[in-house]
Amino acid sequence: MFSYLLIFVILVSTTFSDFETDLQRIKEEYTCYPNCTFNYTEINSETAKLFPSSCYSICGLITINENTDVSFATLEKLFHRMYTLKGGLRIENTTLRSFSFLQLHGFLSFFCFPFGTRIVNNTELVDAEALENIVHVSNTSHECKMEILDNSKLDASRLCESQFHNSVQNIEVLDNGKDCGCSSGKITPRNLPDFKNCIVLFDGLVLTNMSYNSNLKSLSKIANIRGNVEIAYTNFKDLSFLKSLSKIRGNTFENLETVILDIHDNPKMKRLGLDSVSVDTLEQDWVPTMNLENLHPDFCITYQEAVSLSYVRFKNLEAKFCETEWKTDMKSCKFKSLRELESDCIIIYGNVLISSGDEEYVEKLEDTVYIFGSLTIQNSELENIRFLKMLGWIYFLHETLPVIHITNNKDLKKVSLPSIVY
Ligand SMILES: *[C@@H]1O[C@H](CO)[C@@H](O)[C@H](O)[C@H]1NC(C)=O
Ligand SMILES: *[C@@H]1O[C@H](CO)[C@@H](O)[C@H](O)[C@H]1NC(C)=O
Ligand SMILES: *[C@@H]1O[C@H](CO)[C@@H](O)[C@H](O)[C@H]1NC(C)=O
Ligand SMILES: *[C@@H]1O[C@H](CO)[C@@H](O)[C@H](O)[C@H]1NC(C)=O
Ligand SMILES: *[C@@H]1O[C@H](CO)[C@@H](O)[C@H](O)[C@H]1NC(C)=O
Ligand SMILES: *[C@@H]1O[C@H](CO)[C@@H](O)[C@H](O)[C@H]1NC(C)=O
């Protein structure tokens, strides 16, 4: 009898203290008024009386579950003022048909760190519109998780197209009436057609040892890939079949060397064909690594691609620039010599060389923000390089040669590029 009692006491106190710890994390992260913090593990007819329903901004790990014995009208009353929720949201095992009580004002700002959202096993849930109108505010260094699982009547197909498909990357929408993302699993020429409605792809994308075939067009709706991408041992000429792809968020598995976008051994590939794709990692402060290796000898990337990939680190960068110009309204010029260069060029294509005799023309570079090529300053009588005050970006596709080369300028004292973005 005594031992039973002891076990019981321990069990109760650990679950209780888990919740206390969770709540404490929320209180540490946010400014929470005690009178606007919901202190209880779930909403039921008892705790509902203590719900801070007069507050606009509420802190807590709000849980609505099988024990929530209050009416829909009561839920509407509890949440009628709430504009902002900080902490976490769990709605599980209920028979609610709709969550409209969560955003009576049209939308809800949800500071989802640290607990995110879990919407699981709500057997009668049909109305997911409320979820589309939750504006997730993520912690920049920690991404919220959103799980929408096992809601048998829920058609979640529109969810991946709503705003949170951009603001919450770490989402799982599975085993509902209809899901939105797709799990990539093993993609083969045969199962490609199964992916034709996928907008979000989980678990990365691997296309290896594959020949081009028209079914690859089934991947044309994919906008967002969570996980790493490898495209290798194919005869693809480019990746333009991934026509909607705008974001790859990979996983480094805590290893900086992990290649997020790995494109290698595609001997026919001359172009990337991904004009505005961005690559980043789940660990948002990490620099993503990309690999371009063993492609066609003429393989080139467009200026546009270089700009959208400017934060990427390359394991191999076997590429040159394509000769097609960047579609932009900014004034762009080809560099032959500084003497011949027009003034006010914001973008310069070509290796910029400033040498003896060019000193009188350096003011032409005062508006330059982008250089696609290297920058060399040599044998000049320049005393400073203040004229490069706007220069923000130098894109130079060479692995061993230096990007910036400053030599033998006997009067040059101070060198700084105040606008350069690292
Ligand atoms: C929550 O708990 C804190 C400290 O235990 C208390 O000060 C606060 O009044 C409680 N809030 C509500 C809404 O009951
Ligand atoms: C909660 O407490 C704060 C600070 O004491 C006060 O300014 C605020 O009006 C209170 N909010 C509500 C809804 O009672
Ligand atoms: C929902 O039910 C499952 C199975 O009984 C349980 O494990 C889970 O904790 C419940 N969820 C909540 C939030 O109470
Ligand atoms: C789903 O919720 C029902 C009703 O609360 C519960 O009986 C059941 O165990 C839950 N199923 C799962 C898989 O959690
Ligand atoms: C963000 O998340 C980390 C945990 O990954 C946490 O330590 C930190 O307090 C959070 N808040 C901010 C503002 O970064
Ligand atoms: C693809 O082909 C390469 C080279 O022939 C081989 O090394 C690799 O193991 C193959 N990969 C798969 C997944 O079949």
Side-chain angles (χ1 to χ4, degrees), residues 190-397:
R190 224 173 245 265
N191 70 12
L192 274 168
D194 300 347
F195 292 88
K196 66 175 188 290
N197 294 320
C198 299
I199 295 166
V200 179
L201 198 62
F202 302 111
D203 320 319
L205 171 66
V206 177
L207 298 174
T208 50
N209 300 26
M210 198 184 273
S211 305
Y212 184 82
N213 70 78
S214 56
N215 283 342
L216 283 163
K217 294 202 178 78
S218 308
L219 306 178
S220 68
K221 279 195 186 167
I222 296 170
N224 218 311
I225 298 178
R226 321 288 162 72
N228 300 345
V229 176
E230 182 183 9
I231 295 170
Y233 310 109
T234 74
N235 63 354
F236 303 165
K237 292 195 171 92
D238 59 44
L239 303 178
S240 58
F241 56 86
L242 293 168
K243 155 160 125 226
S244 309
L245 186 60
S246 68
K247 196 169 206 165
I248 298 171
R249 176 155 291 177
N251 196 338
T252 62
F253 305 102
E254 310 277 305
N255 177 359
L256 200 59
E257 305 292 311
T258 308
V259 179
I260 304 295
L261 176 54
D262 195 356
I263 301 177
H264 65 96
D265 298 285
N266 304 293
K268 297 257 165 78
M269 194 175 287
K270 288 187 177 180
R271 288 288 180 98
L272 209 48
L274 301 173
D275 251 4
S276 53
V277 75
S278 77
V279 177
D280 62 13
T281 66
L282 216 53
E283 302 87 353
Q284 289 185 4
D285 299 334
W286 290 46
V287 178
T289 300
M290 189 172 154
N291 189 33
L292 293 174
E293 186 183 10
N294 279 338
L295 307 173
H296 191 280
D298 295 336
F299 180 79
C300 68
I301 61 175
T302 64
Y303 298 119
Q304 176 96 47
E305 285 164 349
V307 171
S308 57
L309 295 171
S310 46
Y311 289 98
V312 170
R313 202 175 73 103
F314 283 90
K315 183 178 167 203
N316 293 285
L317 175 52
E318 296 171 4
K320 53 193 169 203
F321 284 124
C322 307
E323 289 300 317
T324 51
E325 293 202 355
W326 188 7
K327 291 183 214 87
T328 167
D329 294 333
M330 292 181 278
K331 179 166 177 181
S332 44
C333 312
K334 276 216 169 69
F335 190 91
K336 287 201 205 82
S337 70
L338 196 54
R339 196 168 58 81
E340 289 166 274
L341 188 73
E342 288 175 59
S343 299
D344 319 320
C345 302
I346 295 177
I347 302 169
I348 295 181
Y349 301 115
N351 297 329
V352 173
L353 171 66
I354 305 171
S355 192
S356 169
D358 289 328
E359 293 84 352
E360 59 183 298
Y361 307 116
V362 294
E363 272 149 43
K364 291 181 180 178
L365 298 174
E366 277 183 348
D367 294 317
T368 303
V369 180
Y370 302 92
I371 293 176
F372 290 89
S374 60
L375 170 65
T376 305
I377 305 175
Q378 64 183 24
N379 309 328
S380 78
E381 284 162 24
L382 291 168
E383 288 171 21
N384 64 65
I385 56 166
R386 260 179 249 142
F387 54 90
L388 293 173
K389 59 181 187 290
M390 300 296 283
L391 184 61
W393 303 89
I394 304 179
Y395 299 91
F396 184 50
L397 304 183

Side-chain angles (χ1 to χ4, degrees), residues 77-92:
K77 258 194 220 120
L78 296 183
F79 291 100
H80 78 291
R81 280 223 166 134
M82 186 177 73
Y83 271 104
T84 304
L85 173 63
K86 296 171 178 174
L89 180 63
R90 289 188 184 154
I91 306 182
E92 297 184 33

